[in-house]
């Protein structure tokens, strides 16, 4: 079955953007990542082969988003919208946003495999077995990378090992 570029993009655009947005947490950066992914695929000229490989395309987006996090310099984001009031105090939103920013910054410091596995498990919601299949590695390798990532992040956040597994 012959697939046109427009069909390929229409099929995978939402998946790529969603995967990128989960990692970078900024729509402008996620758009940039999406463009990078599609440009890379277009230049390689193998989009027809990738058309049925949605998981691989999503993994590419996750990898490019992690690359983007590594390149970004810390910025303070100003928003003109007020967070929804669902029982939380304003200071709790500030703390959560600061922790989220620290986590994303810390992810950019992890070795690539550990960061990728962490994002696929915690941001994409994949099981370790699914991540192993996506990346073409063993489930044990996924578990080891995930454990190392959590240990490194625990050190970054000053948690004890037992707290890092919650």
């Amino acid at each position: 079955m012959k697939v046109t570029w427009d069909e390929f993009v229409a099929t995978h655009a939402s998946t790529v953007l969603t995967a990128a947005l989960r990692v970078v947490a900024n729509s402008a950066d996620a758009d940039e990542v999406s463009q990078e992914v599609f440009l890379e695929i277009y230049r390689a000229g193998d989009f027809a082969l990738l058309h049925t490989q949605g998981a691989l395309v999503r993994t590419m987006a996750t990898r490019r988003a992690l690359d983007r996090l590594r390149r970004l310099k810390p910025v303070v984001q100003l928003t003109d919208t007020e967070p929804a009031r669902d029982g939380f105090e304003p200071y709790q939103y500030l703390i959560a946003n600061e922790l989220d920013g620290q986590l994303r910054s810390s992810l950019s410091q992890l070795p690539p495999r550990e960061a990728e596995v962490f994002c696929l498990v915690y941001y994409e919601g994949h099981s370790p077995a699914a991540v192993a299949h996506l990346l073409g590695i063993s489930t044990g390798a996924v578990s080891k990378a995930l454990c190392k990532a959590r240990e490194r992040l625990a050190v970054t956040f000053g948690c004890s090992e037992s707290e890092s597994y919650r």
Side-chain angles (χ1 to χ4, degrees), residues 2 4 18 57 76 106 108 127 131 138 142 144 146 154 156 162:
K2 187 169 177 158
T4 67
T18 301
V57 174
V76 175
S106 297
S108 70
S127 68
V131 172
S138 70
V142 169
K144 185 174 181 179
L146 195 56
T156 300
S162 62

Side-chain angles (χ1 to χ4, degrees), residues 5 36-50 60:
W5 177 248
E36 289 173 14
V37 169
F38 284 117
L39 183 61
E40 180 180 344
I41 292 169
Y42 184 79
R43 284 183 176 160
D46 58 0
F47 66 89
L49 296 173
L50 290 174
M60 289 175 69

